Amino acid sequence: MRVAVCALALLVVAAGLVLTVGFDGAVQAQGNDPNVVMLDNCSHTDPGYGAFGGCPEGSALRGYRGDVTVAEFFELLTSPLTAMGQIIGHPSWRNEPSYITVRAGQAVRVSNRGGRVHTFTEVEDFGGGFVPPLNGTMVPAPECGANGVPNPNVAFVGVGDTQRLEGMDAGLHKFQCCIHPWMRAAIRAE
Ligand SMILES: [Cu+2]
């Protein structure tokens, strides 16, 4: 079962990586805009990540410490103290800060300082992503896609890249990673 799950995850992550190529996320990596950082501590010394799109060593140059193995990632995906199929997710896969307040219309930079590909996708309601093995019992957020197929509007942020969010209306905006759906954030624009 675990092998089948891993194989499926590999397929969908590989699909995501192909889509990453077209994303010009490197623009506006610098600036004074408020900044949210997407993080994970995947271990580049664990060859297991090779089957899931890799975990480049280069991230370490930005003060990144990669010490989470693939085995530990899956170990902490769930907990024996929760209902069967409920996803907890490894806490190292996270957004920092996960809540900020900005002025309406103010740009926000979202940078990937981890070693894995992430998305920072605005959703109406928090839910699962498009990678079924990482969703557990969560229903995929429609903005993310489903069944291993990302919504065409999903912007993948590669390792070291930055996405710039612009023109946020006043109100509370919810964001999540469409691959690792426990990576959530909210931005209040006022
Ligand atoms: Cu992610």
Side-chain angles (χ1 to χ4, degrees), residues 12 15-16 19 119-136 138-156 176-181:
V12 289
L19 289 171
T119 86
F120 197 83
T121 304
E122 182 159 13
V123 294
E124 182 72 26
D125 296 298
F126 290 128
F130 68 90
V131 184
L134 302 182
N135 285 347
M138 276 186 282
V139 173
E143 296 89 343
C144 282
N147 301 318
V149 182
N151 184 308
N153 296 327
V154 170
F156 292 88
Q176 70 170 71
C177 179
C178 287
I179 302 170
H180 317 102

Side-chain angles (χ1 to χ4, degrees), residues 38-40 93 116-119 177-183:
M38 297 185 286
L39 285 165
D40 64 71
W93 271 240
R116 306 281 294 152
V117 173
H118 300 290
T119 86
C177 179
C178 287
I179 302 170
H180 317 102
W182 62 93
M183 294 177 67

Side-chain angles (χ1 to χ4, degrees), residues 53-106:
C55 173
E57 182 178 6
S59 313
L61 298 175
R62 292 184 292 274
Y64 167 95
R65 183 178 171 85
D67 45 17
V68 179
T69 62
V70 170
E72 186 183 288
F73 173 86
F74 281 109
E75 231 175 84
L76 272 64
L77 193 58
T78 56
S79 165
L81 302 183
T82 61
M84 182 77 84
Q86 188 176 338
I87 294 293
I88 300 296
H90 198 297
S92 159
W93 271 240
R94 66 208 190 270
N95 295 307
E96 288 188 7
S98 53
Y99 178 78
I100 59 172
T101 300
V102 301
R103 298 188 308 275
Q106 187 175 14

